[in-house]
Amino acid sequence: MKLSSIIALLFLLISFNSHGQSDKMKEKREQIKSMKIEFLTTELDLSQSEADKFWPIYTAFEDKEFELKHSKSKTLIKKYNESKDKMTEKEASLLLNQMDKNEEELFLLRKKFAANLKGVISPSKIILLKKLEEDFNRKLLAQYRNKGQQRKD
């Protein structure tokens, strides 16, 4: 499963527990951020100099990525849900174009992020970062699943 799919699935699952950006949701998001920072810091083994440059770039990237994935995607999904039964082909085509534009923005953001990191950490650490993000998301998703199974028992 792609990283973007895992992240989208994770936030979709979390959003079922609380509607919108409630305090509980913000708290959960901050908790996940803290866990991720701790995990990446440990696994990437950044020097102090690397860390000082890396984290501002990473945080800015994550914030923008979250905005694109959730704010814009929610708006598009809301538009679809509000008019799916009466949507014309032209309206559907426009919505599809907006969705494609959103995906393109995400792609360009990721590309810019990787380019910005090249001057901060080595290419091998950039590749490792991508792997570690996937590992973290898998681990988080597994925790979430296990928590849900424990509630059912």
Side-chain angles (χ1 to χ4, degrees), residues 12-65:
L12 179 65
L13 292 173
I14 291 171
S15 69
F16 284 136
N17 286 338
S18 59
H19 184 67
Q21 280 290 325
S22 69
D23 289 338
K24 188 175 182 180
M25 178 66 175
K26 287 179 185 176
E27 186 179 306
K28 280 279 190 199
R29 185 167 180 243
E30 289 304 314
Q31 184 181 21
I32 290 169
K33 262 184 161 179
S34 295
M35 290 168 45
K36 189 173 190 179
I37 288 169
E38 182 180 337
F39 178 77
L40 291 177
T41 298
T42 303
E43 297 297 321
L44 273 176
D45 192 31
L46 298 173
S47 70
Q48 187 61 48
S49 173
E50 289 174 324
D52 290 344
K53 295 173 188 169
F54 173 81
W55 287 111
I57 294 169
Y58 189 82
T59 302
F61 164 75
E62 273 209 323
D63 290 346
K64 183 66 177 171
E65 182 184 46

Side-chain angles (χ1 to χ4, degrees), residues 1-125:
M1 198 181 279
K2 289 184 178 180
L3 175 63
S4 60
S5 300
I6 292 170
I7 291 173
L9 177 62
L10 174 68
F11 282 105
L12 179 65
L13 292 173
I14 291 171
S15 69
F16 284 136
N17 286 338
S18 59
H19 184 67
Q21 280 290 325
S22 69
D23 289 338
K24 188 175 182 180
M25 178 66 175
K26 287 179 185 176
E27 186 179 306
K28 280 279 190 199
R29 185 167 180 243
E30 289 304 314
Q31 184 181 21
I32 290 169
K33 262 184 161 179
S34 295
M35 290 168 45
K36 189 173 190 179
I37 288 169
E38 182 180 337
F39 178 77
L40 291 177
T41 298
T42 303
E43 297 297 321
L44 273 176
D45 192 31
L46 298 173
S47 70
Q48 187 61 48
S49 173
E50 289 174 324
D52 290 344
K53 295 173 188 169
F54 173 81
W55 287 111
I57 294 169
Y58 189 82
T59 302
F61 164 75
E62 273 209 323
D63 290 346
K64 183 66 177 171
E65 182 184 46
F66 183 83
E67 177 192 329
L68 286 172
K69 283 185 176 179
H70 300 283
S71 298
K72 288 189 175 191
S73 294
K74 277 185 180 179
T75 301
L76 295 174
I77 290 168
K78 185 178 177 183
K79 278 183 185 179
Y80 173 75
N81 286 334
E82 289 173 351
S83 61
K84 65 183 174 191
D85 295 330
K86 54 188 176 207
M87 186 179 288
T88 66
E89 287 301 313
K90 184 177 180 178
E91 291 168 333
S93 182
L94 286 172
L95 186 59
L96 185 58
N97 286 339
Q98 288 176 314
M99 293 168 83
D100 287 343
K101 184 179 177 200
N102 196 30
E103 287 297 318
E104 188 175 337
E105 283 182 64
L106 279 166
F107 170 75
L108 293 173
L109 178 67
R110 287 187 197 105
K111 193 172 177 178
K112 182 180 176 184
F113 172 63
N116 289 342
L117 284 180
K118 285 181 184 175
V120 175
I121 60 176
S122 68
S124 59
K125 280 191 178 180

